[in-house]
Amino acid sequence: RKEVEQDPGPFNVPEGATVAFNCTYSNSASQSFFWYRQDCRKEPKLLMSVYSSGNEDGRFTAQLNRASQYISLLIRDSKLSDSATYLCVVNRDNFNKFYFGSGTKLNVKP
Amino acid sequence: GAGVSQSPSNKVTEKGKDVELRCDPISGHTALYWYRQSLGQGLEFLIYFQGNSAPDKSGLPSDRFSAERTGGSVSTLTIQRTQQEDSAVYLCASRLDRAAGNTIYFGEGSWLTVV
């Protein structure tokens, strides 16, 4: 079983839509959680950390459910520039190892 | 430097040749990671360095792959006798330290094509 699983998509949404991605992780010992964004043929870049209490950064909201071992990302008022692949990342093993999901592709259309 | 720096940006090599990829992490970062990503695929962990500790080599796919980190800073990933399946982008990342919540920052990658 993969450490981190994501729906590959693609999610095709119109501008202004709200879209949500989920991610599940297999190891309950996972310690820190993040969402990264990766544009085509570019390196992954940190979008936001995910905290137990949930956190928001502008149009982006991240939630963590430790009991069910899943993480979510909500994007409100989608922009064309949000089109990218979103990677779910978990960190464990004394914070040494980072495990990446395969990513969920988002296409925001005019 | 301001970010993780990798070289070369692109490398085309003939099957069977050796290649070296270089990574210069963010100044002051103690941890360094190598990942690889084949086209359309997820990130595959290769190796991890933390300070002066022995590296975690658990992700290296074969003994043709090796990496070193000299002086706790610059790292070199070496692929010997390259094969076509080695074609991928090799991403280096660094991290300040092991504290909770500290995450990793990637360089732009070295795109390797084996022909």
Side-chain angles (χ1 to χ4, degrees), chain A residues 17 56-61 74-79 81-82:
Chain A
E56 188 174 307
D57 183 3
R59 298 181 293 108
F60 298 84
T61 301
L74 182 78
I75 305 175
R76 290 182 300 277
D77 188 23
S78 300
K79 311 291 185 192
S81 57
D82 294 334

Side-chain angles (χ1 to χ4, degrees), chain A residues 32 34 36 38 41-46 49 51 87 89 91 93-103, chain B residues 33 35 37 39 41-43 45 48 50 56 58 91 95 98-108 111:
Chain A
S32 300
F34 308 90
Y36 278 68
Q38 187 172 28
R41 298 184 69 83
K42 296 286 190 181
E43 76 276 20
K45 293 183 178 176
L46 177 66
S49 302
Y51 303 120
L87 304 174
V89 184
N91 171 232
D93 300 337
N94 284 333
F95 305 103
N96 291 335
K97 288 272 189 75
F98 289 82
Y99 297 89
F100 285 76
S102 297
Chain B
Y33 299 75
Y35 288 83
Q37 188 174 31
L39 201 61
Q41 302 298 311
L43 273 76
F45 167 76
Y48 157 71
Q50 172 66 57
D56 178 346
S58 60
L91 291 159
R95 184 185 192 200
R98 289 191 337 188
N102 282 341
T103 191
I104 58 176
Y105 297 90
F106 286 90
E108 295 185 348
W111 292 80

Side-chain angles (χ1 to χ4, degrees), chain B:
Chain B
V4 178
S5 178
Q6 292 188 245
S7 61
S9 299
N10 288 283
K11 175 76 175 178
V12 180
T13 191
E14 291 182 353
K15 179 181 171 181
K17 296 279 175 102
D18 297 352
V19 296
E20 284 190 353
L21 308 176
R22 176 190 164 103
C23 173
D24 198 346
I26 295 172
S27 179
H29 279 200
T30 63
L32 187 148
Y33 299 75
W34 283 98
Y35 288 83
R36 89 174 161 181
Q37 188 174 31
S38 301
L39 201 61
Q41 302 298 311
L43 273 76
E44 176 187 3
F45 167 76
L46 297 178
I47 188 168
Y48 157 71
F49 297 88
Q50 172 66 57
N52 295 321
S53 302
D56 178 346
K57 304 179 182 180
S58 60
L60 294 178
S62 77
D63 59 9
R64 296 187 295 105
F65 289 74
S66 63
E68 61 179 22
R69 188 180 184 195
T70 53
S73 182
V74 172
S75 176
T76 302
L77 177 69
T78 301
I79 309 172
Q80 295 179 308
R81 305 181 302 282
T82 51
Q83 304 294 313
Q84 287 185 326
E85 61 263 28
D86 298 335
S87 296
V89 58
Y90 289 81
L91 291 159
C92 178
S94 72
R95 184 185 192 200
L96 180 60
D97 56 36
R98 289 191 337 188
N102 282 341
T103 191
I104 58 176
Y105 297 90
F106 286 90
E108 295 185 348
S110 290
W111 292 80
L112 175 66
T113 303
V114 182
V115 297

